[in-house]
């Protein structure tokens, strides 16, 4: 049975991906900081008849990352790592001239350093898998200049570059860094509380893009969920 680690899996896209993969028969190791919400997500996934281990904690904590990897080993190995956990660094977002440097440092730790730390822990398992893969969550803010999104976008641009280098260094793996597009999530509402998100896709509407990546296994690279969705309409 295939095994995935998904960080930030208590809500939003992480939870939607957990349910989508569970529906495909994947066993899961799920991470989030809030134990109650994480367990609710895990219970929902377990209704699909798969094994799910919920490990509450902070991805910036090296000991917690080791717990996630140990849980995957207990399930039999690891086939997929989804680095989904992320923070904005400021809520709501603010221009660079007033962005807290402490907030930026925190975002770098969660959005860049923690994914690299987890990758370092899981690479031996992914290399041993029949078809090991990594999905790193990117953003269009990593490639476009949007007012107030500079600090957050910089962290995602850094993660994009780490992903690109990893793809070169690990040709036996698939490494996809994916811009999911705007989604109706708590994070987007916190970033821009005055925005009307009623027409924005829910995470469950975007999750099929990630299943398609796993099905088709395109070359390692940067992919846009909106472009994928448009292609199948």
């Amino acid at each position: 049975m295939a095994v995935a680690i998904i960080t930030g899996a208590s809500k939003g896209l992480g939870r939607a991906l957990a349910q989508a993969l569970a529906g495909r028969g994947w066993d899961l190791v799920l991470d989030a900081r809030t134990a109650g919400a994480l367990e609710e997500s895990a219970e929902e996934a377990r209704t699909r008849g798969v094994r799910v281990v919920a490990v509450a904690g902070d991805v910036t904590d090296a000991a917690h990352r080791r717990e996630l990897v140990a849980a995957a080993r207990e399930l039999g190995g690891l086939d997929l790592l989804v680095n989904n956990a992320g923070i904005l660094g400021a809520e709501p977002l603010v221009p660079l001239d007033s962005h807290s440097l402490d907030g930026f440092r925190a975002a770098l730790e969660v959005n860049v350093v923690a994914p690299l730390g987890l990758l370092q822990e899981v690479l031996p398992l992914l290399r041993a898998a029949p078809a090991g893969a990594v999905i790193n969550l990117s953003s269009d803010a990593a490639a476009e200049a949007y007012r107030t999104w500079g600090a957050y976008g910089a962290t995602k641009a850094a993660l994009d570059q780490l992903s690109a280098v990893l793809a070169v260094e690990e040709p036996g793996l698939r490494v996809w860094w994916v811009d999911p597009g705007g989604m109706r999530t708590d994070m987007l509402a916190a970033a821009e509380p005055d925005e009307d998100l009623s027409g924005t896709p829910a995470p469950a509407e975007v999750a099929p893009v990630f299943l398609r990546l796993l099905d088709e296994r395109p070359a390692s690279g940067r992919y846009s969920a909106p472009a994928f969705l448009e292609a199948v309409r």
Side-chain angles (χ1 to χ4, degrees):
M1 192 67 68
V3 178
I5 293 175
I6 306 174
T7 66
S10 63
K11 58 184 180 179
L13 181 61
R15 185 166 182 161
L17 289 176
Q19 308 319 312
L21 288 174
R24 291 286 192 89
W26 285 65
D27 292 331
L28 304 171
V29 178
L30 304 182
D31 147 274
R33 290 176 293 180
T34 306
L38 179 62
E39 186 55 36
E40 289 176 4
S41 177
E43 278 298 322
E44 185 180 356
R46 290 185 189 115
T47 64
R48 309 299 185 94
V50 298
R51 297 177 296 171
V52 183
V53 181
V55 186
D58 190 328
V59 289
T60 66
D61 179 358
H64 173 63
R65 295 195 296 266
R66 289 193 292 271
E67 283 186 82
L68 297 175
V69 180
R73 284 198 183 94
E74 285 293 315
L75 292 177
L78 187 67
D79 301 272
L80 172 66
L81 170 64
V82 182
N83 276 314
N84 169 71
I87 64 171
L88 293 166
E91 296 183 8
L93 293 177
V94 294
L96 289 174
D97 67 357
S98 55
H99 200 292
S100 160
L101 294 183
D102 286 342
F104 183 47
R105 290 187 188 97
L108 284 168
E109 284 290 330
V110 175
N111 300 350
V112 185
V113 179
L116 176 58
L118 190 50
L119 279 164
Q120 291 173 341
E121 292 283 347
V122 304
L123 275 174
L125 294 178
L126 290 177
R127 289 168 181 151
V134 176
I135 295 176
N136 288 331
L137 265 293
S138 185
S139 167
D140 57 348
E144 302 291 340
Y146 300 124
R147 185 179 182 278
T148 75
W149 287 85
Y152 174 80
T155 69
K156 290 300 184 178
L159 185 60
D160 281 4
Q161 180 64 6
L162 286 180
S163 304
V165 173
L166 181 68
V168 172
E169 293 177 344
E170 300 290 338
L173 304 180
R174 286 292 190 271
V175 183
W176 302 304
W177 46 113
V178 183
D179 164 20
M183 294 178 292
R184 199 161 61 247
T185 62
D186 290 348
M187 176 180 273
L188 186 55
E192 298 183 330
D194 296 329
E195 287 293 308
D196 178 9
L197 304 182
S198 59
T200 306
E205 297 175 73
V206 178
V209 168
F210 295 84
L211 297 182
R212 183 176 167 189
L213 284 172
L214 292 167
D215 289 342
E216 298 181 6
R217 292 187 63 83
S220 295
R222 191 177 199 276
Y223 292 88
S224 164
F228 261 76
L229 291 170
E230 187 64 31
V232 297
R233 284 191 180 121

